[in-house]
Amino acid sequence: MTPQEYVEEVLALVERIPPGRVMSYGALADALAERSGRNSARQVGTIMARHGGGVPWHRVVTSSGRMPPGHEREARQRLLSEGVPLRGDRVDMARAQWLPTAGEPA
């Protein structure tokens, strides 16, 4: 998979995250690791920072539920409007995390 194809795969998976649910940067990397040969949460973060404006970027958070750095206020508003459960200033990952179904392509 070329770097550009990986960018497209990351963005396509972000588009599939249902409203009211989130994925972590690491979970995105893990979901695409087998097909892409890559597994870097940091790389997913870079892709989201550079190319994520056209997808529901607010649904991608850290594994601890922290919202995208520098965009916390807007992400929080968007997530709350979708009904994402929060604990203080973080997403309640136990209740809000979404993963592609086993056997379903990431």
Side-chain angles (χ1 to χ4, degrees), residues 1-18 23-25 28-29 31-32 35-36 43-60 98 105-106:
M1 182 179 292
T2 68
Q4 184 57 40
E5 288 171 334
Y6 186 63
V7 168
E8 291 168 9
E9 290 291 323
V10 167
L11 297 177
L13 184 52
V14 171
E15 287 181 333
R16 290 182 35 221
I17 303 170
M23 279 185 86
S24 70
Y25 298 97
L28 276 156
L32 297 170
R35 279 202 342 252
S36 70
Q43 189 174 20
V44 169
T46 298
I47 290 168
M48 292 304 297
R50 292 184 182 162
H51 307 285
V55 298
W57 57 267
H58 58 283
R59 296 182 191 148
V60 182
W98 177 82

